[in-house]
Structure formats: C-alpha cells, structure tokens
Amino acid sequence: MKVTEHIKNGNGKTQFSFEILPPLKGENIHSIFENIDPLLEFKPPYINVTYHREEYVFKDLKDGLIEKKVVRKRPGTVGICAAIQNRYEVDAVPHILCGGFTKEETENFLIDLQFLGIDNVMALRGDAVKSETYFSPEKNGHKYACDLVSQINFLNKGAYLDDELQHTFPTDFCVGVAGYPEKHMEAPSSESDIHFLKKKIKNGAEYIVTQMFFDNEKYFKFVEKCRAEGITVPIVPGLKPIAVKSHLNLIPHRFKVDLPDALVMEVVKAKDNKAVRQIGIDWCVKQSQELVKAGVPFLHYYSMGKSSNIKEIASQVF
Ligand SMILES: Cc1cc2nc3c(=O)[nH]c(=O)nc-3n(C[C@H](O)[C@H](O)[C@H](O)COP(=O)(O)OP(=O)(O)OC[C@H]3O[C@@H](n4cnc5c(N)ncnc54)[C@H](O)[C@@H]3O)c2cc1C
C-alpha cells in the first residue's frame, strides 16, 4: 500500500514509522530483524530503508603509490526491503539516489522494485562522495532529486527510456522526497530551498519527510513557509534522539542542523552516556508529544539501526 494511503487511513491520528540502515557488508540480516522486532508493537505501516552509494578509499602501497578502491559499505537496500515485506507484511520504502546511478540504472532499479511488489520510493539526490566537495552526477544521471522524481513519474505513466518500447506496463510508485526545516546545507536561502522543494512536488512527489530537527518551532515555521508557497502535500517530521555525548558535534557536522542550548547544556552536564541516552529520550518524547498534538500524520524516527531508545520513546507516545 502507498504511504499516502496509510496517511489517509490514519484518519487524522498520528502513526509511527521509522528508518533503518542496511547492515555493514559482512554482517547478517538478522541484526536488522532484531532491531525491527521490538518496534512492531507500535504498528508501523511502513519502514524506510536507506541507500548507501559507493565510497572511494585511498590505500598507501609499499612502493609509494596510492591505490584508489571503490567500496560499498552498506549494500542490500532492495534485498532488505523485499525481506521486510515478506517477513512482516509491512510496506518497505527503499531510498533511491541520483548519485551513482545513470538513468538506465535507475529505470532497472525501479523495475526490480515493481516486480517485488514495492509500492513506495523515497527519491533523493544523495551527498557528494566523501573524497569530493560537491555532488557530481553520473554521466547520463540526474543532478537533482526533482529530475529523479520526474523519471519515476514518467515510468508511472508507462514512459520508459526506450521510446520504441510498445504496450509498456506503467509502474505505480508513491514518491516521497526530503525537506529541510533548517534548509539544505548547499541552499543559498531557505526560500530557494523551498522553491526547489516545490519543484519536486510539481514533478510528482506526494509527500515530504523532513531532516531531523530538535526544536519543533523550526518544523512549524517550515510547514508554514511551505504552505505559503502552495505546497499542500503531507510533511512528515523526522526525529532522532541524541544517544551519546559525541552526537553534540557529530549531528551538527553531519546533518547541518542546530541543537537548542537547553538540550546541549543538559548533555554537557550529564555524567555519562547512560544519562545522555535518557536526556535524548526525554527530549524526543516531548518533541513527539507536541507534534502529535499539532496533528502530524506520522512521526518518523531515524533509528540508525538501534531500536532500544526508539522503543522507549514510542511506548510513551503511542
Ligand atoms: C528524509 C531523508 C532521507 C535521506 N536518505 C538518504 C539515503 O538513504 N541515502 C543518502 O545517501 N542520503 C540520504 N539523505 C541525504 C540526502 O541525500 C542529502 O541531504 C542530499 O545532500 C540532498 O538530497 P535531496 O534529495 O534533498 O536533494 P535535492 O532536492 O536535489 O536538493 C539538493 C540541493 O540542490 C538545490 N536544488 C534542488 N533542485 C534544484 C534545481 N533544479 N536547481 C538548482 N538547485 C536545486 C536544493 O535547494 C538543495 O540545496 C536523506 C535525507 C533526508 C532528509
């Protein structure tokens, strides 16, 4: 079933969803199931699975030369989605990127998803690879998520890349896209970011999931600005609990979001990571309860592969 249908079926009640990462290459899929199992009691109608493109690793060789190796640390997005749908009968939402994909590869990826009975995709540009400063698309790939959304939308109308194909079967994907309450790091202004967000909707995306935020005011203002720009689709808030002290630096650095002073000071004063974990849970519960009161369709939790704190939060909210 499509995410938009799940939203409709919620009849205004906030529902629970979460995102997982594929395991590191070499690990077992059972580590994923162990993290999903405890969250099923909160009845997630869908689970997102992130996509991780290749990275370049540079290795010093004995002769002074440097070897450039291409490494994919977390493959398996499609396999995990199929396993989730098969094992739990819960919809899986695979993430799909512009980065690392040609249009042809995108089309083939979507065909695989369709054959597996996957109805949803989250369309993203992806970040620059670690060794590069700016994102660069593949030759004959997409530069922006809005163009990827267009390709999916064309396929939903039966328009494949090879226009000589006849009697094609249209796909029927429900497409979600990312939104940034604190603006995307490369956007010159929040207005321009929302302008391009609107383009993703115009090109066929049906809902937005936000980047994590720690101050609900940022989400409320973002929704207000989107509505003022004429974006009418559901805007699902994404939440992540702080779990360890190092998150104070890692989260702003990695995701380009601010942490409120009150939260930072509590974490700084915490005597150990057990105390930090509890502070993160309490903060996230308060955020969640306020968002439920505001009538958001879903609360979407970034589990980062660890379910125990998400379970504690969900048991206080749902
Ligand atoms: C909910 C969520 C899930 C994510 N999941 C993953 C994942 O699974 N794997 C992963 O690698 N990354 C993931 N990311 C990170 C994401 O890939 C990065 O934030 C990336 O840098 C931007 O992706 P986007 O789809 O928002 O890009 P876009 O919408 O393409 O925007 C990128 C930048 O370009 C600007 N822009 C957009 N369109 C245009 C245009 N036509 N002309 C000029 N400027 C334009 C925007 O304002 C923005 O600054 C996720 C992010 C979120 C919020």
Side-chain angles (χ1 to χ4, degrees):
M1 206 192 272
K2 295 178 175 186
V3 169
T4 45
E5 290 174 295
H6 289 303
I7 291 176
K8 224 162 145 198
N9 292 347
N11 288 318
K13 195 166 171 254
T14 304
Q15 300 176 77
F16 170 74
S17 70
F18 62 98
E19 174 182 299
I20 58 164
L21 278 65
L24 285 166
K25 192 181 265 187
E27 284 180 8
N28 195 303
I29 193 167
H30 289 286
S31 63
I32 294 288
F33 298 148
E34 279 160 21
N35 279 294
I36 294 177
D37 289 345
L39 299 179
L40 290 179
E41 66 175 282
F42 308 107
K43 303 201 170 15
Y46 64 87
I47 298 170
N48 280 53
V49 184
T50 54
Y51 191 93
H52 300 260
R53 64 175 297 186
E54 75 287 357
E55 291 170 30
Y56 299 121
V57 178
F58 295 90
K59 210 172 137 193
D60 288 321
L61 300 177
K62 277 188 195 133
D63 51 11
L65 294 173
I66 294 174
E67 184 190 16
K68 182 178 172 186
K69 266 178 79 178
V70 181
V71 179
R72 269 195 75 199
K73 289 188 180 159
R74 294 182 185 273
T77 301
V78 177
I80 290 170
C81 286
I84 287 174
Q85 297 210 157
N86 193 29
R87 186 178 170 102
Y88 300 112
E89 293 184 1
V90 169
D91 282 304
V93 184
H95 293 193
I96 174 170
L97 304 182
C98 302
F101 280 79
T102 63
K103 291 176 192 165
E104 192 73 30
E105 285 162 344
T106 300
E107 186 171 273
N108 295 339
F109 187 89
L110 292 164
I111 289 169
D112 277 344
L113 299 182
Q114 186 198 27
F115 289 168
L116 286 167
I118 290 169
D119 299 327
N120 300 283
V121 284
M122 182 82 190
L124 301 140
R125 187 196 72 178
D127 287 322
V129 286
K130 283 204 176 100
S131 50
E132 290 171 7
T133 313
Y134 297 106
F135 173 82
S136 60
E138 293 302 298
K139 203 169 159 219
N140 195 28
H142 296 297
K143 193 172 177 195
Y144 295 111
C146 60
D147 303 321
L148 172 59
V149 174
S150 275
Q151 184 179 359
I152 303 168
N153 199 31
F154 274 117
L155 210 60
N156 277 349
K157 292 179 178 143
Y160 287 68
L161 292 172
D162 178 355
D163 53 17
E164 284 179 12
L165 287 181
Q166 288 189 347
H167 314 299
T168 54
F169 194 81
T171 56
D172 189 18
F173 290 110
C174 170
V175 184
V177 288
Y180 301 83
E182 297 177 56
K183 117 179 159 51
H184 181 257
M185 60 179 136
E186 295 161 26
S189 68
S190 60
E191 285 69 24
S192 79
D193 206 24
I194 290 175
H195 169 80
F196 291 120
L197 175 57
K198 191 172 174 185
K199 197 159 180 203
K200 295 195 266 194
I201 308 303
K202 191 172 148 262
N203 289 2
E206 292 181 79
Y207 68 100
I208 296 162
V209 182
T210 75
Q211 181 58 281
M212 64 184 72
F213 56 89
F214 296 86
D215 172 357
N216 286 351
E217 272 315 302
K218 302 226 160 124
Y219 169 81
F220 294 135
K221 283 205 178 110
F222 173 67
V223 173
E224 219 176 277
K225 280 188 183 175
C226 288
R227 300 302 180 227
E229 273 304 305
I231 296 173
T232 56
V233 300
I235 303 179
V236 172
L239 295 175
K240 174 177 168 39
I242 298 274
V244 287
K245 231 171 215 183
S246 59
H247 278 166
L248 284 191
N249 303 111
L250 194 143
I251 288 175
H253 177 70
R254 171 82 184 80
F255 301 103
K256 307 292 182 275
V257 297
D258 275 352
L259 300 180
D261 274 346
L263 173 60
V264 174
M265 290 330 289
E266 269 193 74
V267 173
V268 167
K269 283 187 212 145
K271 68 174 193 310
D272 54 24
N273 273 338
K274 194 169 166 232
V276 173
R277 182 178 176 279
Q278 193 55 49
I279 292 166
I281 289 172
D282 294 343
W283 190 274
C284 196
V285 167
K286 268 197 233 143
Q287 275 195 279
S288 303
Q289 287 170 336
E290 192 185 17
L291 290 162
V292 169
K293 260 198 200 147
V296 299
F298 268 93
L299 286 172
H300 186 71
Y301 294 95
Y302 295 110
S303 81
M304 307 284 183
K306 301 261 185 312
S307 61
S308 73
N309 52 357
I310 306 295
K311 182 178 164 78
E312 284 186 48
I313 293 160
S315 57
Q316 293 184 60
V317 177
F318 293 93

Short mmCIF file of all heavy atoms in Angstrom, two decimals, residues 19 49-52 95 97 122-127 143-146 178-180 184-187 192-193 196 199-200 209-211 302, ligand 1:
data_model
loop_
_atom_site.label_atom_id
_atom_site.label_comp_id
_atom_site.label_asym_id
_atom_site.label_seq_id
_atom_site.Cartn_x
_atom_site.Cartn_y
_atom_site.Cartn_z
N GLU A 19 13.10 4.52 10.18
CA GLU A 19 14.05 4.29 9.09
C GLU A 19 15.20 3.42 9.60
O GLU A 19 15.67 3.61 10.71
CB GLU A 19 14.59 5.66 8.66
CG GLU A 19 15.69 5.64 7.64
CD GLU A 19 16.20 7.04 7.32
OE1 GLU A 19 15.41 7.87 6.82
OE2 GLU A 19 17.37 7.30 7.57
N VAL A 49 14.12 2.18 4.26
CA VAL A 49 15.46 1.58 4.23
C VAL A 49 16.37 2.50 3.41
O VAL A 49 16.10 2.76 2.22
CB VAL A 49 15.44 0.16 3.62
CG1 VAL A 49 16.83 -0.46 3.70
CG2 VAL A 49 14.42 -0.73 4.33
N THR A 50 17.42 3.00 4.04
CA THR A 50 18.30 3.96 3.37
C THR A 50 19.12 3.29 2.27
O THR A 50 19.28 2.06 2.25
CB THR A 50 19.27 4.62 4.38
OG1 THR A 50 19.95 3.59 5.08
CG2 THR A 50 18.51 5.50 5.36
N TYR A 51 19.66 4.12 1.38
CA TYR A 51 20.53 3.62 0.30
C TYR A 51 21.92 4.23 0.49
O TYR A 51 22.04 5.44 0.76
CB TYR A 51 19.98 4.02 -1.08
CG TYR A 51 20.70 3.30 -2.18
CD1 TYR A 51 20.20 2.11 -2.68
CD2 TYR A 51 21.92 3.79 -2.69
CE1 TYR A 51 20.89 1.41 -3.67
CE2 TYR A 51 22.61 3.09 -3.67
CZ TYR A 51 22.08 1.91 -4.16
OH TYR A 51 22.76 1.22 -5.13
N HIS A 52 22.93 3.42 0.35
CA HIS A 52 24.30 3.91 0.55
C HIS A 52 25.14 3.64 -0.68
O HIS A 52 25.36 2.48 -1.03
CB HIS A 52 24.92 3.26 1.79
CG HIS A 52 24.11 3.57 3.01
ND1 HIS A 52 24.45 4.54 3.90
CD2 HIS A 52 22.91 3.09 3.42
CE1 HIS A 52 23.51 4.64 4.82
NE2 HIS A 52 22.56 3.77 4.55
N HIS A 95 15.05 3.84 -0.28
CA HIS A 95 15.53 5.13 -0.76
C HIS A 95 16.26 4.89 -2.08
O HIS A 95 16.90 3.86 -2.26
CB HIS A 95 16.47 5.75 0.27
CG HIS A 95 15.77 6.14 1.53
ND1 HIS A 95 16.34 6.93 2.49
CD2 HIS A 95 14.53 5.84 2.00
CE1 HIS A 95 15.48 7.12 3.49
NE2 HIS A 95 14.37 6.45 3.22
N LEU A 97 18.71 6.99 -5.04
CA LEU A 97 19.54 8.20 -5.18
C LEU A 97 19.78 8.57 -6.63
O LEU A 97 19.76 7.71 -7.51
CB LEU A 97 20.91 7.97 -4.55
CG LEU A 97 21.02 7.53 -3.09
CD1 LEU A 97 22.48 7.43 -2.70
CD2 LEU A 97 20.28 8.48 -2.17
N MET A 122 11.53 6.61 -1.84
CA MET A 122 11.94 7.92 -1.35
C MET A 122 13.04 8.40 -2.28
O MET A 122 14.09 7.76 -2.37
CB MET A 122 12.47 7.70 0.07
CG MET A 122 12.90 8.93 0.78
SD MET A 122 11.43 9.68 1.48
CE MET A 122 12.13 11.18 1.96
N ALA A 123 12.77 9.48 -3.03
CA ALA A 123 13.70 9.92 -4.08
C ALA A 123 14.62 11.03 -3.56
O ALA A 123 14.15 12.09 -3.16
CB ALA A 123 12.91 10.40 -5.30
N LEU A 124 15.93 10.76 -3.61
CA LEU A 124 16.91 11.69 -3.04
C LEU A 124 18.06 11.92 -4.01
O LEU A 124 18.37 11.04 -4.82
CB LEU A 124 17.49 11.09 -1.75
CG LEU A 124 16.44 10.81 -0.69
CD1 LEU A 124 16.74 9.50 0.00
CD2 LEU A 124 16.34 11.96 0.27
N ARG A 125 18.71 13.06 -3.84
CA ARG A 125 19.89 13.29 -4.67
C ARG A 125 21.08 12.49 -4.17
O ARG A 125 21.85 11.94 -4.93
CB ARG A 125 20.25 14.79 -4.65
CG ARG A 125 21.35 15.14 -5.62
CD ARG A 125 21.94 16.48 -5.34
NE ARG A 125 22.75 16.46 -4.12
CZ ARG A 125 23.42 17.49 -3.65
NH1 ARG A 125 23.36 18.65 -4.29
NH2 ARG A 125 24.12 17.39 -2.53
N GLY A 126 21.23 12.43 -2.82
CA GLY A 126 22.44 11.85 -2.24
C GLY A 126 23.48 12.95 -2.05
O GLY A 126 23.39 14.02 -2.66
N ASP A 127 24.43 12.69 -1.18
CA ASP A 127 25.50 13.66 -0.92
C ASP A 127 26.65 13.43 -1.88
O ASP A 127 26.71 12.42 -2.57
CB ASP A 127 26.00 13.50 0.53
CG ASP A 127 24.98 14.03 1.52
OD1 ASP A 127 24.33 15.06 1.22
OD2 ASP A 127 24.82 13.41 2.58
N LYS A 143 21.00 15.30 -11.78
CA LYS A 143 21.74 16.25 -10.95
C LYS A 143 20.96 16.60 -9.69
O LYS A 143 21.53 16.90 -8.65
CB LYS A 143 21.98 17.52 -11.80
CG LYS A 143 22.98 18.46 -11.20
CD LYS A 143 23.32 19.58 -12.18
CE LYS A 143 24.27 20.57 -11.53
NZ LYS A 143 24.33 21.80 -12.28
N TYR A 144 19.64 16.60 -9.81
CA TYR A 144 18.78 17.00 -8.68
C TYR A 144 17.68 15.96 -8.47
O TYR A 144 17.22 15.33 -9.44
CB TYR A 144 18.13 18.36 -8.94
CG TYR A 144 19.12 19.49 -9.03
CD1 TYR A 144 19.37 20.12 -10.24
CD2 TYR A 144 19.83 19.91 -7.90
CE1 TYR A 144 20.29 21.16 -10.33
CE2 TYR A 144 20.76 20.94 -7.98
CZ TYR A 144 20.98 21.56 -9.20
OH TYR A 144 21.90 22.58 -9.29
N ALA A 145 17.21 15.89 -7.22
CA ALA A 145 16.15 14.94 -6.91
C ALA A 145 14.89 15.20 -7.75
O ALA A 145 14.17 14.26 -8.10
CB ALA A 145 15.83 14.98 -5.42
N CYS A 146 14.62 16.48 -8.08
CA CYS A 146 13.40 16.77 -8.85
C CYS A 146 13.41 16.05 -10.21
O CYS A 146 12.36 15.65 -10.72
CB CYS A 146 13.18 18.27 -9.00
SG CYS A 146 14.51 19.12 -9.84
N ALA A 178 12.75 14.59 0.36
CA ALA A 178 13.28 15.20 1.59
C ALA A 178 13.00 16.69 1.65
O ALA A 178 13.01 17.38 0.63
CB ALA A 178 14.80 14.96 1.64
N GLY A 179 12.75 17.19 2.87
CA GLY A 179 12.61 18.63 3.10
C GLY A 179 13.47 19.01 4.31
O GLY A 179 13.73 18.17 5.17
N TYR A 180 13.89 20.26 4.36
CA TYR A 180 14.88 20.68 5.36
C TYR A 180 14.39 21.89 6.15
O TYR A 180 14.52 23.03 5.69
CB TYR A 180 16.21 21.01 4.66
CG TYR A 180 16.75 19.82 3.90
CD1 TYR A 180 16.30 19.51 2.61
CD2 TYR A 180 17.67 18.97 4.50
CE1 TYR A 180 16.75 18.40 1.93
CE2 TYR A 180 18.13 17.85 3.82
CZ TYR A 180 17.67 17.57 2.55
OH TYR A 180 18.12 16.45 1.87
N HIS A 184 18.61 23.06 3.34
CA HIS A 184 19.67 22.16 2.91
C HIS A 184 21.00 22.92 2.95
O HIS A 184 21.03 24.11 2.64
CB HIS A 184 19.38 21.65 1.50
CG HIS A 184 20.41 20.69 1.00
ND1 HIS A 184 21.38 21.04 0.10
CD2 HIS A 184 20.65 19.39 1.32
CE1 HIS A 184 22.16 19.98 -0.13
NE2 HIS A 184 21.73 18.98 0.59
N MET A 185 22.05 22.22 3.33
CA MET A 185 23.35 22.90 3.55
C MET A 185 23.87 23.68 2.35
O MET A 185 24.59 24.66 2.49
CB MET A 185 24.40 21.89 3.99
CG MET A 185 24.66 20.80 2.99
SD MET A 185 25.90 19.69 3.59
CE MET A 185 25.21 18.11 3.20
N GLU A 186 23.49 23.26 1.13
CA GLU A 186 24.02 23.96 -0.05
C GLU A 186 23.09 25.05 -0.54
O GLU A 186 23.46 25.82 -1.42
CB GLU A 186 24.21 22.96 -1.21
CG GLU A 186 25.25 21.91 -0.95
CD GLU A 186 25.10 20.71 -1.87
OE1 GLU A 186 24.56 20.85 -2.98
OE2 GLU A 186 25.52 19.61 -1.46
N ALA A 187 21.89 25.13 0.02
CA ALA A 187 20.92 26.11 -0.49
C ALA A 187 21.33 27.51 -0.02
O ALA A 187 21.64 27.70 1.15
CB ALA A 187 19.52 25.77 0.01
N SER A 192 14.92 29.69 -1.45
CA SER A 192 15.28 28.97 -2.69
C SER A 192 15.13 27.47 -2.46
O SER A 192 14.71 26.74 -3.36
CB SER A 192 16.69 29.34 -3.15
OG SER A 192 17.65 28.64 -2.39
N ASP A 193 15.46 27.01 -1.26
CA ASP A 193 15.33 25.58 -0.98
C ASP A 193 13.86 25.14 -1.10
O ASP A 193 13.56 24.09 -1.68
CB ASP A 193 15.86 25.31 0.45
CG ASP A 193 16.37 23.88 0.61
OD1 ASP A 193 16.73 23.27 -0.40
OD2 ASP A 193 16.38 23.40 1.75
N PHE A 196 12.72 24.92 -4.71
CA PHE A 196 13.08 23.67 -5.40
C PHE A 196 12.35 22.46 -4.80
O PHE A 196 12.12 21.48 -5.50
CB PHE A 196 14.60 23.47 -5.41
CG PHE A 196 15.29 24.46 -6.31
CD1 PHE A 196 16.23 25.35 -5.81
CD2 PHE A 196 14.96 24.54 -7.65
CE1 PHE A 196 16.85 26.27 -6.64
CE2 PHE A 196 15.57 25.46 -8.50
CZ PHE A 196 16.52 26.34 -7.99
N LYS A 199 9.31 22.19 -6.65
CA LYS A 199 9.52 21.57 -7.97
C LYS A 199 9.43 20.03 -7.86
O LYS A 199 8.91 19.36 -8.76
CB LYS A 199 10.89 22.00 -8.50
CG LYS A 199 11.04 21.77 -9.96
CD LYS A 199 12.13 22.59 -10.58
CE LYS A 199 12.18 22.27 -12.06
NZ LYS A 199 13.43 22.56 -12.68
N LYS A 200 9.93 19.48 -6.74
CA LYS A 200 9.85 18.02 -6.56
C LYS A 200 8.38 17.59 -6.48
O LYS A 200 8.00 16.54 -6.98
CB LYS A 200 10.61 17.60 -5.29
CG LYS A 200 12.12 17.85 -5.36
CD LYS A 200 12.90 17.12 -4.28
CE LYS A 200 13.15 17.93 -3.05
NZ LYS A 200 14.18 17.36 -2.14
N VAL A 209 9.34 14.11 3.78
CA VAL A 209 9.84 13.72 5.11
C VAL A 209 10.96 14.69 5.44
O VAL A 209 11.84 14.96 4.61
CB VAL A 209 10.40 12.27 5.12
CG1 VAL A 209 10.86 11.90 6.52
CG2 VAL A 209 9.34 11.29 4.64
N THR A 210 10.95 15.21 6.66
CA THR A 210 11.95 16.24 6.97
C THR A 210 13.24 15.64 7.49
O THR A 210 13.26 14.55 8.06
CB THR A 210 11.46 17.25 8.04
OG1 THR A 210 11.50 16.64 9.33
CG2 THR A 210 10.09 17.80 7.72
N GLN A 211 14.27 16.40 7.31
CA GLN A 211 15.54 16.16 8.01
C GLN A 211 15.25 16.25 9.51
O GLN A 211 14.28 16.90 9.92
CB GLN A 211 16.56 17.24 7.58
CG GLN A 211 17.93 17.13 8.19
CD GLN A 211 18.57 15.79 7.89
OE1 GLN A 211 18.24 14.79 8.55
NE2 GLN A 211 19.49 15.75 6.95
N TYR A 302 14.48 8.29 13.06
CA TYR A 302 15.74 7.81 12.50
C TYR A 302 16.37 6.88 13.53
O TYR A 302 16.89 7.34 14.53
CB TYR A 302 16.67 9.00 12.19
CG TYR A 302 16.11 9.89 11.11
CD1 TYR A 302 15.64 11.17 11.39
CD2 TYR A 302 16.02 9.43 9.81
CE1 TYR A 302 15.11 11.97 10.39
CE2 TYR A 302 15.50 10.22 8.80
CZ TYR A 302 15.04 11.49 9.10
OH TYR A 302 14.51 12.27 8.11
C1 LIG B 1 14.46 12.05 4.93
C2 LIG B 1 15.83 11.93 4.36
C3 LIG B 1 16.32 10.69 3.93
C4 LIG B 1 17.61 10.57 3.39
N1 LIG B 1 18.07 9.34 2.99
C5 LIG B 1 19.28 9.21 2.40
C6 LIG B 1 19.75 7.95 1.93
O1 LIG B 1 19.09 6.92 2.07
N2 LIG B 1 20.97 7.90 1.35
C7 LIG B 1 21.76 9.03 1.18
O2 LIG B 1 22.85 8.91 0.63
N3 LIG B 1 21.32 10.24 1.60
C8 LIG B 1 20.11 10.37 2.22
N4 LIG B 1 19.67 11.60 2.65
C9 LIG B 1 20.56 12.77 2.49
C10 LIG B 1 20.35 13.48 1.13
O3 LIG B 1 20.74 12.65 0.08
C11 LIG B 1 21.20 14.75 1.17
O4 LIG B 1 20.68 15.66 2.10
C12 LIG B 1 21.45 15.42 -0.18
O5 LIG B 1 22.54 16.34 0.00
C13 LIG B 1 20.29 16.19 -0.76
O6 LIG B 1 19.30 15.36 -1.21
P1 LIG B 1 17.87 15.96 -1.73
O7 LIG B 1 17.14 14.84 -2.29
O8 LIG B 1 17.27 16.79 -0.69
O9 LIG B 1 18.44 16.89 -2.94
P2 LIG B 1 17.76 17.98 -3.86
O10 LIG B 1 16.31 18.09 -3.64
O11 LIG B 1 18.23 17.70 -5.26
O12 LIG B 1 18.44 19.33 -3.35
C14 LIG B 1 19.86 19.44 -3.24
C15 LIG B 1 20.25 20.91 -3.25
O13 LIG B 1 20.06 21.48 -4.55
C16 LIG B 1 19.10 22.53 -4.54
N5 LIG B 1 18.26 22.29 -5.73
C17 LIG B 1 17.31 21.34 -5.87
N6 LIG B 1 16.81 21.35 -7.13
C18 LIG B 1 17.48 22.33 -7.79
C19 LIG B 1 17.43 22.81 -9.13
N7 LIG B 1 16.59 22.30 -10.04
N8 LIG B 1 18.27 23.84 -9.49
C20 LIG B 1 19.14 24.37 -8.57
N9 LIG B 1 19.22 23.94 -7.28
C21 LIG B 1 18.41 22.93 -6.90
C22 LIG B 1 18.36 22.40 -3.22
O14 LIG B 1 17.90 23.65 -2.74
C23 LIG B 1 19.42 21.80 -2.32
O15 LIG B 1 20.26 22.80 -1.81
C24 LIG B 1 18.42 11.73 3.24
C25 LIG B 1 17.93 12.98 3.68
C26 LIG B 1 16.66 13.09 4.24
C27 LIG B 1 16.16 14.42 4.73
#
